[in-house]
Structure formats: C-alpha cells, structure tokens
Amino acid sequence: MLAILRQSVLAATLIAAPVSAPAADYACEGGLVPAGQRMICSGFEPNWAIELTCNGGAMGANFIDAFSGDSVQTTPGTVTFSSQDPWTFETSHPVKGTIAATPGGCTDESDAVRDFTFTPTAAPGLSGPFFPFCCRVE
C-alpha cells in the first residue's frame, strides 16, 4: 500500500512540475532583445543612450542623458514597436528610430564591432540631423 501511495505522489509531482520553455519563447520584440538582457544604443556628441530592456517578455526603455547637468540621468519609460527587422520604435521620452540587424557591420567610437545599428529620427532636446550608431546587447 505504501509503495502505491509513493508512486501516486511521484506521478502527481511529475504532472504538476512546471515545464521549462526555451529562452527564445520569452524574448522581446521577435528576438531583438533576449529575456533578462538589455540592448544599449549609445550616441555621442552629445552623449546620450537609449536602453531597451526585456524582462519577462515585456520591453521597457530607459533614456540615459549624459549631456545635461552634472551627472548622468536615467529616465525610465515605455516603448512601442511598429515593425520588426528593421525594428521601428518610439519611446515615451520621446526617442524614435530604427534598429537594423547588421552582423559585424557597426563599429562604435571605441572601435568595437557591434551587430546592430540604430538610426534615430528624434531624441529629447536634440535636433537633427541624426547619424546612425551602434547597439550592444548585455
């Protein structure tokens, strides 16, 4: 009887155990940013960046401002995408632009080779023309 009870408990435990899904199932925006990671697209002259975060399948956006005031300021916000690959987006900051997959095709100001290129069309407090710059995933 005890053996049957143990088997029943084991079977119930196996049935109730969560099944882990591949990380890709939780990636944000069609695989642009892997789950639990962030993409940072850093501009320069003046220094600013947009940081896209993927947490639990939801995408967020932070505007990082290093050109006004005495310290770097990070402002959290939201992001909405209207297309994928290239990814066209707009944040609540408002930063607008397009991120294209360019494997090995973007070299940043430190001569590091990156796989994504961001072409902004709007950024708070800045006027165009805007030039493309690189994005990295961390």
Side-chain angles (χ1 to χ4, degrees):
M1 183 70 164
L2 187 56
I4 293 172
L5 182 59
R6 284 185 186 160
Q7 287 177 345
S8 296
V9 170
L10 177 61
T13 303
L14 291 174
I15 291 170
V19 177
S20 61
D25 289 349
Y26 297 101
C28 292
E29 279 319 303
L32 178 63
V33 181
Q37 295 191 343
R38 61 191 180 151
M39 175 178 277
I40 301 170
C41 303
S42 301
F44 53 95
E45 303 297 332
N47 294 327
W48 64 280
I50 191 70
E51 176 185 62
L52 303 174
T53 59
C54 180
N55 293 311
M59 187 76 92
N62 296 315
F63 180 72
I64 302 168
D65 178 354
F67 65 87
S68 63
D70 294 333
S71 63
V72 174
Q73 298 173 5
T74 300
T75 306
T78 59
V79 61
T80 304
F81 287 84
S82 58
S83 70
Q84 292 182 356
D85 203 5
W87 291 266
T88 302
F89 70 95
E90 181 174 353
T91 71
S92 57
H93 301 102
V95 172
K96 297 179 185 179
T98 303
I99 297 174
T102 54
C106 192
T107 303
D108 69 15
E109 66 277 6
S110 69
D111 292 329
V113 176
R114 306 293 182 188
D115 294 330
F116 294 92
T117 302
F118 173 49
T119 303
T121 57
L126 300 174
S127 59
F130 294 102
F131 300 99
F133 49 90
C134 302
C135 301
R136 69 185 184 274
V137 176
E138 300 181 338

